[in-house]
PDB file of all heavy atoms in Angstrom:
ATOM      1  N   GLN A   7       0.868   8.438  -3.245  1.00  0.00           N
ATOM      2  CA  GLN A   7      -0.354   8.456  -4.052  1.00  0.00           C
ATOM      3  C   GLN A   7      -0.536   9.808  -4.734  1.00  0.00           C
ATOM      4  O   GLN A   7      -0.915   9.874  -5.900  1.00  0.00           O
ATOM      5  CB  GLN A   7      -1.571   8.146  -3.177  1.00  0.00           C
ATOM      6  CG  GLN A   7      -1.689   6.684  -2.823  1.00  0.00           C
ATOM      7  CD  GLN A   7      -2.801   6.414  -1.826  1.00  0.00           C
ATOM      8  OE1 GLN A   7      -3.136   7.262  -1.007  1.00  0.00           O
ATOM      9  NE2 GLN A   7      -3.360   5.224  -1.876  1.00  0.00           N
ATOM     10  N   LYS A   8      -0.252  10.894  -3.994  1.00  0.00           N
ATOM     11  CA  LYS A   8      -0.375  12.236  -4.570  1.00  0.00           C
ATOM     12  C   LYS A   8       0.575  12.413  -5.748  1.00  0.00           C
ATOM     13  O   LYS A   8       0.226  13.028  -6.747  1.00  0.00           O
ATOM     14  CB  LYS A   8      -0.055  13.308  -3.510  1.00  0.00           C
ATOM     15  CG  LYS A   8      -1.233  13.724  -2.687  1.00  0.00           C
ATOM     16  CD  LYS A   8      -0.846  14.892  -1.798  1.00  0.00           C
ATOM     17  CE  LYS A   8      -2.027  15.410  -1.015  1.00  0.00           C
ATOM     18  NZ  LYS A   8      -1.644  16.520  -0.146  1.00  0.00           N
ATOM     19  N   LEU A   9       1.792  11.888  -5.622  1.00  0.00           N
ATOM     20  CA  LEU A   9       2.782  12.024  -6.687  1.00  0.00           C
ATOM     21  C   LEU A   9       2.345  11.305  -7.960  1.00  0.00           C
ATOM     22  O   LEU A   9       2.721  11.696  -9.054  1.00  0.00           O
ATOM     23  CB  LEU A   9       4.139  11.479  -6.236  1.00  0.00           C
ATOM     24  CG  LEU A   9       4.870  12.299  -5.176  1.00  0.00           C
ATOM     25  CD1 LEU A   9       6.174  11.618  -4.787  1.00  0.00           C
ATOM     26  CD2 LEU A   9       5.138  13.717  -5.652  1.00  0.00           C
ATOM     27  N   LYS A  10       1.527  10.260  -7.815  1.00  0.00           N
ATOM     28  CA  LYS A  10       1.059   9.481  -8.965  1.00  0.00           C
ATOM     29  C   LYS A  10      -0.282   9.968  -9.496  1.00  0.00           C
ATOM     30  O   LYS A  10      -0.743   9.493 -10.528  1.00  0.00           O
ATOM     31  CB  LYS A  10       0.928   7.994  -8.572  1.00  0.00           C
ATOM     32  CG  LYS A  10       2.257   7.323  -8.357  1.00  0.00           C
ATOM     33  CD  LYS A  10       2.872   6.973  -9.672  1.00  0.00           C
ATOM     34  CE  LYS A  10       4.239   6.338  -9.532  1.00  0.00           C
ATOM     35  NZ  LYS A  10       5.064   6.596 -10.701  1.00  0.00           N
ATOM     36  N   ASP A  11      -0.922  10.909  -8.792  1.00  0.00           N
ATOM     37  CA  ASP A  11      -2.238  11.412  -9.188  1.00  0.00           C
ATOM     38  C   ASP A  11      -2.074  12.504 -10.242  1.00  0.00           C
ATOM     39  O   ASP A  11      -1.548  13.574  -9.962  1.00  0.00           O
ATOM     40  CB  ASP A  11      -2.965  11.962  -7.951  1.00  0.00           C
ATOM     41  CG  ASP A  11      -4.390  12.392  -8.256  1.00  0.00           C
ATOM     42  OD1 ASP A  11      -4.675  12.764  -9.421  1.00  0.00           O
ATOM     43  OD2 ASP A  11      -5.210  12.376  -7.336  1.00  0.00           O
ATOM     44  N   HIS A  12      -2.532  12.206 -11.468  1.00  0.00           N
ATOM     45  CA  HIS A  12      -2.361  13.153 -12.583  1.00  0.00           C
ATOM     46  C   HIS A  12      -3.075  14.477 -12.355  1.00  0.00           C
ATOM     47  O   HIS A  12      -2.705  15.476 -12.954  1.00  0.00           O
ATOM     48  CB  HIS A  12      -2.827  12.510 -13.896  1.00  0.00           C
ATOM     49  CG  HIS A  12      -1.889  11.469 -14.395  1.00  0.00           C
ATOM     50  ND1 HIS A  12      -0.817  11.753 -15.204  1.00  0.00           N
ATOM     51  CD2 HIS A  12      -1.837  10.132 -14.175  1.00  0.00           C
ATOM     52  CE1 HIS A  12      -0.152  10.645 -15.474  1.00  0.00           C
ATOM     53  NE2 HIS A  12      -0.747   9.643 -14.861  1.00  0.00           N
ATOM     54  N   ASP A  13      -4.130  14.499 -11.512  1.00  0.00           N
ATOM     55  CA  ASP A  13      -4.823  15.758 -11.253  1.00  0.00           C
ATOM     56  C   ASP A  13      -4.056  16.631 -10.261  1.00  0.00           C
ATOM     57  O   ASP A  13      -4.235  17.844 -10.228  1.00  0.00           O
ATOM     58  CB  ASP A  13      -6.241  15.512 -10.747  1.00  0.00           C
ATOM     59  CG  ASP A  13      -7.196  15.183 -11.897  1.00  0.00           C
ATOM     60  OD1 ASP A  13      -6.989  15.703 -13.013  1.00  0.00           O
ATOM     61  OD2 ASP A  13      -8.129  14.405 -11.676  1.00  0.00           O
ATOM     62  N   ILE A  14      -3.204  16.016  -9.438  1.00  0.00           N
ATOM     63  CA  ILE A  14      -2.435  16.777  -8.442  1.00  0.00           C
ATOM     64  C   ILE A  14      -1.032  17.093  -8.967  1.00  0.00           C
ATOM     65  O   ILE A  14      -0.554  18.211  -8.853  1.00  0.00           O
ATOM     66  CB  ILE A  14      -2.332  15.990  -7.110  1.00  0.00           C
ATOM     67  CG1 ILE A  14      -3.732  15.816  -6.505  1.00  0.00           C
ATOM     68  CG2 ILE A  14      -1.400  16.695  -6.133  1.00  0.00           C
ATOM     69  CD1 ILE A  14      -3.774  14.877  -5.318  1.00  0.00           C
ATOM     70  N   ASN A  15      -0.387  16.103  -9.562  1.00  0.00           N
ATOM     71  CA  ASN A  15       0.983  16.262 -10.047  1.00  0.00           C
ATOM     72  C   ASN A  15       0.987  16.343 -11.571  1.00  0.00           C
ATOM     73  O   ASN A  15       0.780  15.343 -12.244  1.00  0.00           O
ATOM     74  CB  ASN A  15       1.836  15.072  -9.573  1.00  0.00           C
ATOM     75  CG  ASN A  15       3.269  15.156 -10.049  1.00  0.00           C
ATOM     76  OD1 ASN A  15       3.667  16.109 -10.695  1.00  0.00           O
ATOM     77  ND2 ASN A  15       4.047  14.136  -9.720  1.00  0.00           N
ATOM     78  N   PRO A  16       1.257  17.539 -12.118  1.00  0.00           N
ATOM     79  CA  PRO A  16       1.254  17.687 -13.573  1.00  0.00           C
ATOM     80  C   PRO A  16       2.484  17.059 -14.235  1.00  0.00           C
ATOM     81  O   PRO A  16       2.546  16.966 -15.448  1.00  0.00           O
ATOM     82  CB  PRO A  16       1.252  19.200 -13.767  1.00  0.00           C
ATOM     83  CG  PRO A  16       1.912  19.734 -12.552  1.00  0.00           C
ATOM     84  CD  PRO A  16       1.523  18.793 -11.431  1.00  0.00           C
ATOM     85  N   CYS A  17       3.438  16.608 -13.435  1.00  0.00           N
ATOM     86  CA  CYS A  17       4.708  16.134 -13.983  1.00  0.00           C
ATOM     87  C   CYS A  17       4.941  14.641 -13.718  1.00  0.00           C
ATOM     88  O   CYS A  17       6.080  14.202 -13.549  1.00  0.00           O
ATOM     89  CB  CYS A  17       5.853  16.974 -13.416  1.00  0.00           C
ATOM     90  SG  CYS A  17       5.676  18.739 -13.753  1.00  0.00           S
ATOM     91  N   VAL A  18       3.849  13.863 -13.690  1.00  0.00           N
ATOM     92  CA  VAL A  18       3.965  12.419 -13.435  1.00  0.00           C
ATOM     93  C   VAL A  18       4.860  11.757 -14.489  1.00  0.00           C
ATOM     94  O   VAL A  18       5.743  10.970 -14.151  1.00  0.00           O
ATOM     95  CB  VAL A  18       2.579  11.731 -13.393  1.00  0.00           C
ATOM     96  CG1 VAL A  18       2.718  10.217 -13.328  1.00  0.00           C
ATOM     97  CG2 VAL A  18       1.780  12.227 -12.202  1.00  0.00           C
ATOM     98  N   ALA A  19       4.648  12.088 -15.761  1.00  0.00           N
ATOM     99  CA  ALA A  19       5.429  11.463 -16.839  1.00  0.00           C
ATOM    100  C   ALA A  19       6.917  11.771 -16.678  1.00  0.00           C
ATOM    101  O   ALA A  19       7.765  10.888 -16.834  1.00  0.00           O
ATOM    102  CB  ALA A  19       4.930  11.943 -18.203  1.00  0.00           C
ATOM    103  N   GLU A  20       7.235  13.038 -16.343  1.00  0.00           N
ATOM    104  CA  GLU A  20       8.637  13.437 -16.168  1.00  0.00           C
ATOM    105  C   GLU A  20       9.250  12.752 -14.952  1.00  0.00           C
ATOM    106  O   GLU A  20      10.408  12.341 -14.976  1.00  0.00           O
ATOM    107  CB  GLU A  20       8.749  14.963 -16.030  1.00  0.00           C
ATOM    108  CG  GLU A  20       8.425  15.731 -17.296  1.00  0.00           C
ATOM    109  CD  GLU A  20       6.941  15.877 -17.614  1.00  0.00           C
ATOM    110  OE1 GLU A  20       6.081  15.410 -16.846  1.00  0.00           O
ATOM    111  OE2 GLU A  20       6.637  16.474 -18.655  1.00  0.00           O
ATOM    112  N   THR A  21       8.457  12.632 -13.885  1.00  0.00           N
ATOM    113  CA  THR A  21       8.924  11.951 -12.672  1.00  0.00           C
ATOM    114  C   THR A  21       9.254  10.495 -12.991  1.00  0.00           C
ATOM    115  O   THR A  21      10.330   9.998 -12.630  1.00  0.00           O
ATOM    116  CB  THR A  21       7.830  11.997 -11.573  1.00  0.00           C
ATOM    117  OG1 THR A  21       7.484  13.355 -11.324  1.00  0.00           O
ATOM    118  CG2 THR A  21       8.311  11.355 -10.288  1.00  0.00           C
ATOM    119  N   ASP A  22       8.332   9.820 -13.681  1.00  0.00           N
ATOM    120  CA  ASP A  22       8.522   8.408 -14.020  1.00  0.00           C
ATOM    121  C   ASP A  22       9.728   8.215 -14.944  1.00  0.00           C
ATOM    122  O   ASP A  22      10.504   7.271 -14.768  1.00  0.00           O
ATOM    123  CB  ASP A  22       7.261   7.824 -14.670  1.00  0.00           C
ATOM    124  CG  ASP A  22       6.107   7.701 -13.677  1.00  0.00           C
ATOM    125  OD1 ASP A  22       6.331   7.829 -12.457  1.00  0.00           O
ATOM    126  OD2 ASP A  22       4.966   7.476 -14.139  1.00  0.00           O
ATOM    127  N   ALA A  23       9.877   9.100 -15.928  1.00  0.00           N
ATOM    128  CA  ALA A  23      10.998   8.988 -16.873  1.00  0.00           C
ATOM    129  C   ALA A  23      12.336   9.173 -16.151  1.00  0.00           C
ATOM    130  O   ALA A  23      13.306   8.456 -16.426  1.00  0.00           O
ATOM    131  CB  ALA A  23      10.851  10.017 -17.994  1.00  0.00           C
ATOM    132  N   THR A  24      12.380  10.121 -15.223  1.00  0.00           N
ATOM    133  CA  THR A  24      13.601  10.369 -14.451  1.00  0.00           C
ATOM    134  C   THR A  24      13.947   9.153 -13.594  1.00  0.00           C
ATOM    135  O   THR A  24      15.093   8.700 -13.567  1.00  0.00           O
ATOM    136  CB  THR A  24      13.435  11.617 -13.551  1.00  0.00           C
ATOM    137  OG1 THR A  24      13.091  12.731 -14.382  1.00  0.00           O
ATOM    138  CG2 THR A  24      14.715  11.937 -12.811  1.00  0.00           C
ATOM    139  N   THR A  25      12.931   8.610 -12.922  1.00  0.00           N
ATOM    140  CA  THR A  25      13.135   7.435 -12.075  1.00  0.00           C
ATOM    141  C   THR A  25      13.636   6.252 -12.904  1.00  0.00           C
ATOM    142  O   THR A  25      14.585   5.563 -12.509  1.00  0.00           O
ATOM    143  CB  THR A  25      11.821   7.051 -11.359  1.00  0.00           C
ATOM    144  OG1 THR A  25      11.379   8.173 -10.607  1.00  0.00           O
ATOM    145  CG2 THR A  25      12.022   5.868 -10.426  1.00  0.00           C
ATOM    146  N   LYS A  26      13.025   6.040 -14.070  1.00  0.00           N
ATOM    147  CA  LYS A  26      13.433   4.942 -14.944  1.00  0.00           C
ATOM    148  C   LYS A  26      14.881   5.138 -15.393  1.00  0.00           C
ATOM    149  O   LYS A  26      15.677   4.194 -15.383  1.00  0.00           O
ATOM    150  CB  LYS A  26      12.506   4.849 -16.149  1.00  0.00           C
ATOM    151  CG  LYS A  26      12.843   3.678 -17.071  1.00  0.00           C
ATOM    152  CD  LYS A  26      11.937   3.640 -18.288  1.00  0.00           C
ATOM    153  CE  LYS A  26      12.191   2.499 -19.238  1.00  0.00           C
ATOM    154  NZ  LYS A  26      13.527   1.959 -19.335  1.00  0.00           N
ATOM    155  N   CYS A  27      15.232   6.357 -15.786  1.00  0.00           N
ATOM    156  CA  CYS A  27      16.597   6.638 -16.218  1.00  0.00           C
ATOM    157  C   CYS A  27      17.596   6.339 -15.097  1.00  0.00           C
ATOM    158  O   CYS A  27      18.628   5.712 -15.325  1.00  0.00           O
ATOM    159  CB  CYS A  27      16.726   8.097 -16.662  1.00  0.00           C
ATOM    160  SG  CYS A  27      18.390   8.520 -17.229  1.00  0.00           S
TER     161      CYS A  27
END
Side-chain angles (χ1 to χ4, degrees):
Q7 284 173 331
K8 273 187 176 179
L9 290 178
K10 290 281 178 208
D11 185 333
H12 287 272
D13 280 328
I14 296 171
N15 179 3
C17 302
V18 172
E20 291 78 2
T21 303
D22 291 347
T24 303
T25 303
K26 183 182 181 331
C27 181

